[in-house]
Amino acid sequence: MKEQLLNMKEKASQALTSAKTLQDLEDIRISLLGKKGELTAILRGMGGLSAEERPVIGQLANEVRSFIEDKIEEQKKALVASERAEQLKSETLDVTMAGKKPVIGKTHPLTTVLEEVKDIFIGMGFSIVEGPEVEYDYYNFEALNIPADHPARDTQDTFYINDNVVLRSQTSSVQVRVMENQKPPIRVIAPGRVYRSDAVDATHSPVFHQIEGLVVDKGITMGDLKGTLEVFMKTLYGNDAVLRFRPHHFPFTEPSAEVDVSCFVCGGKGCRVCKGEGFIELLGAGMVHPKVLERCGIDTSVYSGFAFGLGLERIVMRRLNIDDMRHLYDNDLRFLNQF
Ligand code: PHE
């Protein structure tokens, strides 16, 4: 029996040293020390031993048991440690490795300049409003003093959805929406897309952007319009910018004007960019027509107002010295990265 026990100790020692996983260890423990294990089987033979042998073998059996238990414990620690080392190795992060360079985008020139324009008007106490791009004929034309048979409709080459609904051809539609919903004093700008059935060329696109301005209050005059636009242009283009008002006609303003700014290249002498004019046309403007005010329920014996409509593309082209509007829509990064 002594032999058997020592044999078992030897075998166990080898088996445990070569165990690879915690499950291996557990299997070995059960097969050696479990209720139906090898040790129990050996000890069943104790009955046949003499009274002197019995305590000796008993003691040896206990030694073998605690040897095996210690060995399992020791092996368990070793396995856990090496598992952890393995895990740490696989999760190592080499902070000296070259990284991927993030590509940082930037805003489109139209957005950049629109933000500048908004900031200037916000500085003068204006709020920013928006209106729908798919608009009722009523807001785009009718309420602006342009009835169905008015020749001004022809010049706008409108996209019709049906008889009553159009893609708005001007942001002036927002003037009416604001005046219907807000009592004076009103001081707003309304930037947004407008649509006209124009062929694409260097200065035309079927989709472009306008910025509408509207001020309605007591005692508003053409002087307020001129002063406001003057401050706006000088802030945007510098103190040397000179404005020129030319008489014009819009059905929804009276009097009306087209407003030009002195050429930023030649300063007014005349050059290739301004086609020898010395000035560049930037917007339409005027005093809001009394009929438009009254249709919106505004008392014209108390209130008056001015309105203007700027072409954003033009402003951007003048501001950033771009000679072809198509560049603004091509999304060519070689172009866009210059700004
Ligand atoms: N809506 C006009 C246009 O698109 C511009 C304009 C706006 C004129 C406001 C006067 C007042 O041509």
Side-chain angles (χ1 to χ4, degrees), residues 1 4-5 8 37-46 57:
M1 255 179 110
Q4 277 179 307
L5 285 168
M8 175 179 158
E38 221 173 305
L39 187 62
T40 316
I42 294 172
L43 293 182
R44 244 183 236 125
M46 289 274 273
I57 292 297

Side-chain angles (χ1 to χ4, degrees), residues 110 112-126 128 188-191 209-213 215 223-243 245 259-262 280-285 306-319:
L110 281 173
T112 312
V113 176
L114 176 57
E115 288 305 318
E116 279 180 46
V117 171
K118 282 188 192 169
D119 279 349
I120 296 171
F121 281 106
I122 287 171
M124 289 194 276
F126 283 70
I128 318 284
V188 295
I189 61 166
H209 299 76
Q210 288 188 332
I211 304 162
E212 196 78 9
V215 170
D224 298 307
L225 169 63
K226 291 190 78 170
T228 304
L229 290 177
E230 189 99 16
V231 169
F232 167 64
M233 291 299 177
K234 285 193 192 302
T235 313
L236 194 67
Y237 291 120
N239 268 332
D240 301 336
V242 176
L243 286 192
F245 283 63
V259 183
D260 309 330
V261 67
S262 50
I280 290 159
E281 185 203 321
L282 280 188
L283 64 126
F306 68 75
F308 57 85
L310 298 155
L312 178 60
E313 278 76 359
R314 285 203 176 167
I315 295 204
V316 174
M317 288 166 74
R318 303 303 174 237
R319 178 90 174 76

Side-chain angles (χ1 to χ4, degrees), residues 170 172 175 196 210 212 250 252-253 284-285 307-309:
Q170 49 187 355
S172 300
Q175 285 186 37
R196 293 188 196 178
Q210 288 188 332
E212 196 78 9
F250 296 104
F252 41 93
T253 47
F308 57 85

Side-chain angles (χ1 to χ4, degrees), residues 200-217:
V200 176
D201 67 24
T203 52
H204 290 87
S205 158
V207 187
F208 59 104
H209 299 76
Q210 288 188 332
I211 304 162
E212 196 78 9
L214 174 70
V215 170
V216 182
D217 203 349

